[in-house]
Amino acid sequence: MSSFLTHHGVIVALVCAAAALVYGATTARSLLALSPGNERMRAISAAVQEGASAYLNRQYTTIAGVGVVVFILLIPLQNIRVAIGFAIGGVLSAAAGYIGMNVSVRANARVAEAARGGVSKALSVAFRGGAVTGLLVVGLALLGLGAYYGVLTWIAGETQAHAVDALVGLSFGGSLISVFARLGGGIFTKAADVGADLVGKIEAGIPEDDPRNPAVIADNVGDNVGDCAGMAADLFETYAVTAVAVMLLGVILFSQQSAVAVFPLVLGAISIVASIIGTFAVRSRSGNVERALYQGLVLSGGLAALVFIPATYWLMHGLTLKSGAAAPPWWHYYLCALIGLAVTGLLFVITDYYTSTRFSPVKRTARASQTGHATNIIQGLASGQQATALPAVVLALGILGSWKLAGGGADGIYGIGVAVMAQLSLMGLIVALDAFGPVTDNAGGIAEMADLPEEVRNVTDPLDAVGNTTKAVTKGYAIGSAVLAALVLFDAFEQELPHRFNDASFSIGKPPVLIGLLVGGMMVYLFSALSMEAVGRAGGSVVEEVRRQFREKPGIMEGTEQPEYGTAVGLVTRAAQREMILPALIPIVLTVVVGVISVEALGGLLIGVIVVGLFMAVSMTAGGGAWDNAKKLIEDGAYGGKGSEAHAASVTGDTVGDPYKDTAGPAINPMIKVANIVALLIIPLIT
């Protein structure tokens, strides 16, 4: 079996990737066969579909222009194999987001219609809508990696080392799509949300999803292009980047390159099967939605952990390092995988604690709203900053444990890579949990806009509240895996340097390294600031447009005139495309400039981006989640309920938190990895 996996591990990966795609296709087909509701529901859903497709078409056209330039530059900088890999990664990442988003925007009306039959039925439809995206992400990522690696080694006759080098280009393609998708989608969704809330809720005093609000369709479109397509691209990139980084480290460190090169692919294949099985465990008879969702995740993780045992034994038993020493026992690497699963579980629990309405951080933020807008903002900021402590401790302990188990020293970093690959074993279901959020959010919006009975909203509202929490916890997972993946990438960068820089080191005592650290930290803050400003400007334009329509069409509020939904959608689309370019170029341009000036400064820059990026991303996503759910807690009746002074303060906090948790914070994940991948790719340029 060991010999079989070593020589046929790629085939195993391709078969399991194909299974994920078949699952996605059959689930999508069964989902679309369900009733989308009455004519009004279908019309609203069609408007959201049209807006989302128009936005993504425009976004990918813009990215394609940048991608063509990068493709051409990669040929002389690296080689044609890397450039082709870049194109494959970009196309597959875009496909994962686009197809998943199209299924999600069609699932929303079907969830609203299913809600007539109760929580269990609506939950099943909503989760299956998210599961299509989740399994597509891992299926396409593993398909791209396995197929291109197989073509290079079997057909082109490349060595494992050269084939893995070409896969770095594939991961860069996914990264470029990811940073633009996260930024553009985040700017769109939060500009529409902020604009709709400020005029609708605060000025006009109408409900969140009131059809009289001209920005309400743009808001629903944004949920999908930001939280569905954006997250899909983000985690596609994390999957590809991590697998390639672990493969790269394996061929650098070990003598048995065939075994270590396919090891991450085999782990990914096992995880896909476990994820498919896990989807069937998402059932709710008691009405506890969170428990139903998480029991599928636990089952998937447990199955993966069991099957990792023989796979790790067969591929990692009796290996030797290139230094001539024996590698640690195979079970040490298996324990590294268990550490990765444990880190994922702990990050879920911690993020849930800081963002769920059940726990004190959100309750404190809601309570602070009683004394005004300022105290709500102060408490939300404090909650976000406090939320960084425990994830940092968990990641530090996970890094230490997996590094020590893999032998410590320069070789121990491979253990961290194995831990991250184990984290990614849960990605199919985690993306499903994230996509569950916009599906249920849109379902609630359609229920309100279509004037469905109150019992339908009594089903969609609890699903939406859980979706809010799952979106927050999946962002915590994405940040943690991004940091660990970037750490592995940084080590790969460091391992590659001795071939050209025998005296390169990254001691903080060297001024160039310290300069790089400062520039790397500055990059994160500048990137976040530009992203926040973009939302502010785009949101301001939405506010003006909604005010204009209310002013020029007084019949909108009386229900005698129809709002111009398309105008608001087009306005936000143009703003998002325009505003995403400059922030997205920061991790590319500054990394290249610093690398050309000093390789030691470049190493410092990468360390600065990883460390500062972790704390900024966690603080923003957790703080934003706390503000959002504090508002929902008050809307459910706490501290005076809707229309109270506390509610007005909580809406302000939620408005501030929106670009925190859904634009700048999540976009830091791909930014961290883009900087590290660019550093790897420009090594020939800085020699």
Side-chain angles (χ1 to χ4, degrees):
M1 191 65 179
S2 174
S3 176
F4 175 85
L5 283 181
T6 300
H7 294 96
H8 302 289
V10 172
I11 295 176
V12 172
L14 293 177
V15 169
C16 292
L21 301 184
V22 169
Y23 174 90
T26 54
T27 303
R29 184 176 179 180
S30 67
L31 194 67
L32 297 179
L34 299 175
S35 170
N38 59 37
E39 186 177 344
R40 175 65 177 154
M41 294 166 67
R42 292 196 299 271
I44 296 167
S45 181
V48 175
Q49 292 169 35
E50 182 181 348
S53 295
Y55 172 79
L56 282 188
N57 288 338
R58 184 163 180 165
Q59 174 173 274
Y60 287 148
T61 301
T62 303
I63 299 172
V66 178
V68 168
V69 174
V70 175
F71 177 86
I72 294 170
L73 291 175
L74 281 173
I75 296 173
L77 180 61
Q78 286 284 337
N79 52 60
I80 188 64
R81 297 184 302 275
V82 173
I84 292 172
F86 168 79
I88 293 171
V91 169
L92 291 179
S93 177
Y98 196 90
I99 298 169
M101 184 276 299
N102 270 287
V103 173
S104 293
V105 296
R106 285 165 172 78
N108 49 29
R110 289 163 172 82
V111 173
E113 181 67 15
R116 298 179 190 271
V119 170
S120 181
K121 190 173 180 182
L123 166 65
S124 174
V125 177
F127 176 74
R128 282 191 289 157
V132 172
T133 304
L135 270 298
L136 278 177
V137 167
V138 292
L140 288 173
L142 190 59
L143 180 69
L145 290 169
Y148 195 44
Y149 177 80
V151 167
L152 290 170
T153 53
W154 296 341
I155 299 175
E158 297 286 348
T159 64
Q160 282 85 5
H162 286 160
V164 174
D165 284 341
L167 290 181
V168 174
L170 188 150
S171 62
F172 182 45
S175 295
L176 190 70
I177 291 288
S178 175
V179 73
F180 278 106
R182 264 302 193 192
L183 266 176
I187 293 168
F188 186 108
T189 183
K190 291 303 110 181
D193 197 358
V194 167
D197 282 357
L198 287 178
V199 184
K201 283 185 177 180
I202 295 178
E203 295 182 11
I206 58 179
E208 182 170 353
D209 293 307
D210 196 299
R212 292 171 293 179
N213 192 325
V216 72
I217 294 295
D219 188 10
N220 280 273
V221 169
D223 290 333
N224 293 283
V225 299
D227 285 323
C228 184
M231 179 60 117
D234 184 358
L235 289 180
F236 176 99
E237 175 238 10
T238 298
Y239 193 100
V241 165
T242 304
V244 171
V246 177
M247 293 169 78
L248 183 60
L249 275 180
V251 299
I252 289 173
L253 296 174
F254 292 89
S255 300
Q256 295 83 356
Q257 293 190 351
S258 296
V260 293
V262 300
F263 183 52
L265 301 180
V266 172
L267 292 187
I270 292 168
S271 304
I272 282 177
V273 177
S275 293
I276 291 173
I277 295 171
T279 62
F280 295 103
V282 178
R283 298 283 185 275
S284 175
R285 293 185 179 89
S286 64
N288 190 326
V289 177
E290 274 190 86
R291 179 179 176 180
L293 292 171
Y294 292 150
Q295 68 193 17
L297 191 65
V298 170
L299 175 62
S300 177
L303 288 173
L306 284 174
V307 187
F308 282 171
I309 296 174
T312 307
Y313 174 78
W314 288 324
L315 287 170
M316 302 300 291
H317 175 64
L319 299 188
T320 56
L321 300 167
K322 284 191 175 177
S323 62
W330 67 271
W331 56 270
H332 280 210
Y333 296 109
Y334 175 69
L335 291 179
C336 292
L338 293 187
I339 287 175
L341 293 174
V343 166
T344 298
L346 289 171
L347 289 177
F348 258 68
V349 170
I350 293 166
T351 310
D352 187 53
Y353 172 74
Y354 280 100
T355 57
S356 173
T357 55
R358 294 174 292 140
F359 301 111
S360 60
V362 169
K363 291 178 179 178
R364 286 198 300 266
T365 305
R367 193 180 307 120
S369 304
Q370 296 178 98
T371 50
H373 301 251
T375 46
N376 170 280
I377 297 296
I378 290 167
Q379 184 57 50
L381 288 172
S383 291
Q385 290 169 8
Q386 288 173 17
T388 63
L390 288 176
V393 172
V394 167
L395 290 172
L397 291 175
I399 290 168
L400 177 63
S402 54
W403 176 67
K404 282 284 191 183
L405 283 166
D411 303 326
I413 200 76
Y414 188 79
I416 300 173
V418 174
V420 193
M421 277 307 300
Q423 274 193 299
L424 300 184
S425 69
L426 302 173
M427 183 174 288
L429 283 181
I430 286 171
V431 176
L433 293 180
D434 187 78
F436 174 87
V439 170
T440 54
D441 193 355
N442 278 196
I446 288 174
E448 180 154 332
M449 286 186 276
D451 246 356
L452 296 186
E454 186 179 349
E455 54 264 27
V456 172
R457 283 310 301 252
N458 290 339
V459 171
T460 59
D461 283 352
L463 291 178
D464 183 22
V466 172
N468 241 8
T469 302
T470 60
K471 285 191 293 184
V473 296
T474 53
K475 287 183 177 75
Y477 163 85
I479 294 163
S481 58
V483 169
L484 292 178
L487 182 62
V488 177
L489 279 172
F490 175 76
D491 191 74
F493 165 75
E494 197 173 14
Q495 294 279 353
E496 288 282 288
L497 284 180
H499 301 299
R500 300 172 175 87
F501 296 94
N502 293 323
D503 59 343
S505 67
F506 303 113
S507 166
I508 197 171
K510 293 186 175 183
V513 176
L514 183 56
I515 291 169
L517 283 168
L518 294 174
V519 173
M522 174 272 292
M523 281 171 58
V524 176
Y525 272 85
L526 181 61
F527 179 87
S528 302
L530 292 175
S531 304
M532 295 279 287
E533 277 190 340
V535 173
R537 284 192 294 269
S541 65
V542 176
V543 168
E544 294 299 328
E545 173 58 26
V546 175
R547 284 174 176 168
R548 180 194 70 79
Q549 292 197 34
F550 281 157
R551 185 174 61 250
E552 296 179 4
K553 294 187 170 188
I556 290 176
M557 291 299 291
E558 297 167 9
T560 58
E561 287 187 87
Q562 191 74 1
E564 298 172 8
Y565 298 124
T567 304
V569 172
L571 186 153
V572 186
T573 297
R574 291 189 295 274
Q577 298 303 299
R578 182 177 63 249
E579 298 282 3
M580 73 178 182
I581 300 294
L582 182 58
L585 292 176
I586 287 175
I588 300 172
V589 174
L590 285 182
T591 302
V592 172
V593 170
V594 171
V596 170
I597 295 172
S598 166
V599 68
E600 290 175 332
L602 177 58
L605 178 148
L606 299 179
I607 298 168
V609 166
I610 293 169
V611 174
V612 177
L614 165 66
F615 288 97
M616 179 70 91
V618 172
S619 175
M620 285 184 151
T621 53
W627 271 315
D628 191 347
N629 275 340
K631 178 199 70 174
K632 282 187 166 39
L633 192 63
I634 292 173
E635 288 177 343
D636 287 340
Y639 307 114
K642 291 182 179 180
S644 65
E645 289 296 320
H647 183 236
S650 72
V651 170
T652 300
D654 179 41
T655 305
V656 174
D658 273 342
Y660 255 51
K661 68 181 175 63
D662 289 327
T663 306
I668 291 172
N669 302 343
M671 182 232 177
I672 293 171
K673 289 169 287 185
V674 165
N676 280 270
I677 293 171
V678 169
L680 266 175
L681 290 172
I682 65 170
I683 287 176
L685 184 65
I686 59 182
T687 55

